[in-house]
Amino acid sequence: AKDLGRLVGQSTEYKALRRTEQALREDAPTVAKLDAIQQLATKVDQMMASGQMPAGEKVQRTKTLAQLYFRAGNYGKGIQYANQYLKSAPGDQDMQLMVAQGYYQQKDYKGAIAAAERIIKGGQRPSEDALQLLLRSSYEVNDKAGTAQALEQLLKHYPSPDTWQRVLDGYIAQTKHDDELLALYRLA
């Protein structure tokens, strides 16, 4: 499991995600759009706080606010409004995933794990995004068992050549004797 976590961190997808995040932070037009979204979210927030919003629209506006704050990169406010919305609509998996992603973006990996696990334990087939988030968060906190469980769930629900490759690479790296390696190749 230790090597599996290391392999996740070395995967091209994980590295691409980190490079993309950095590039977005440095792109002036993107930063300007994020600032505009933040201003819009602040105005909607002020309208809701002033009581000018009809009661029937508050639940949907709360969801909209959560989405706006997330897009603006204000994950704390986004999580706050998403959780408020989820009190009225607890089955909304997209919003639950947004909360988990918000924790991840804030580098609160334990919070991301807890939120992703709530989604996964919801009884339905877990989304691939929730499982990937659980995998990345488990890796970040060096939770070897959690990383292995997330990979196992990914293989169970979303088998792909890349996921199989990561798992097999991890097993090969852990193999200490030739007879173990031969047994592994027989399975593959």
Side-chain angles (χ1 to χ4, degrees):
K2 176 182 174 184
D3 291 324
L4 292 176
R6 182 182 50 76
L7 291 171
V8 169
Q10 293 175 351
S11 70
T12 55
E13 295 89 355
Y14 188 82
K15 290 177 182 177
L17 173 69
R18 291 296 179 202
R19 283 191 307 272
T20 302
E21 287 175 345
Q22 185 60 35
L24 285 174
R25 285 189 204 105
E26 296 171 358
D27 184 56
T30 301
V31 171
K33 287 177 185 176
L34 291 174
D35 288 342
I37 292 170
Q38 177 68 37
Q39 291 172 6
L40 176 62
T42 302
K43 287 179 183 177
V44 173
D45 199 356
Q46 290 169 349
M47 282 180 55
M48 283 185 62
S50 72
Q52 296 175 354
M53 185 146 315
E57 292 182 21
K58 279 195 173 188
V59 172
Q60 185 57 39
R61 294 292 183 231
T62 302
K63 180 178 181 177
T64 301
L65 262 177
Q67 293 167 330
L68 286 171
Y69 278 123
F70 272 96
R71 285 192 184 110
N74 188 338
Y75 302 111
K77 282 275 204 181
I79 291 169
Q80 174 190 336
Y81 281 105
N83 282 329
Q84 186 178 335
Y85 170 77
L86 286 168
K87 290 177 184 174
S88 301
D92 189 331
Q93 285 197 347
D94 290 335
M95 290 301 284
Q96 292 173 351
L97 183 61
M98 193 182 300
V99 169
Q101 290 170 336
Y103 284 125
Y104 182 84
Q105 291 296 332
Q106 291 180 314
K107 299 188 183 334
D108 179 357
Y109 303 118
K110 290 182 180 183
I113 290 169
E117 286 177 341
R118 281 192 296 275
I119 297 167
I120 293 166
K121 292 178 182 173
Q124 302 173 10
R125 179 180 181 207
S127 73
E128 185 174 7
D129 290 336
L131 290 171
Q132 290 284 358
L133 185 62
L134 181 61
L135 176 67
R136 289 192 311 266
S137 299
S138 296
Y139 169 75
E140 291 291 345
V141 296
N142 200 24
D143 178 358
K144 297 169 185 111
T147 301
Q149 285 177 327
L151 274 171
E152 179 183 315
Q153 289 294 313
L154 277 166
L155 283 175
K156 178 180 177 183
H157 296 289
Y158 303 96
S160 71
D162 180 58
T163 305
W164 274 110
Q165 186 67 47
R166 282 192 260 171
V167 170
L168 290 175
D169 287 348
Y171 285 131
I172 289 169
Q174 292 176 359
T175 304
K176 306 230 185 297
H177 304 288
D178 288 342
D179 57 331
E180 292 175 351
L181 191 57
L182 184 59
L184 181 61
Y185 280 122
R186 284 185 192 138
L187 288 174

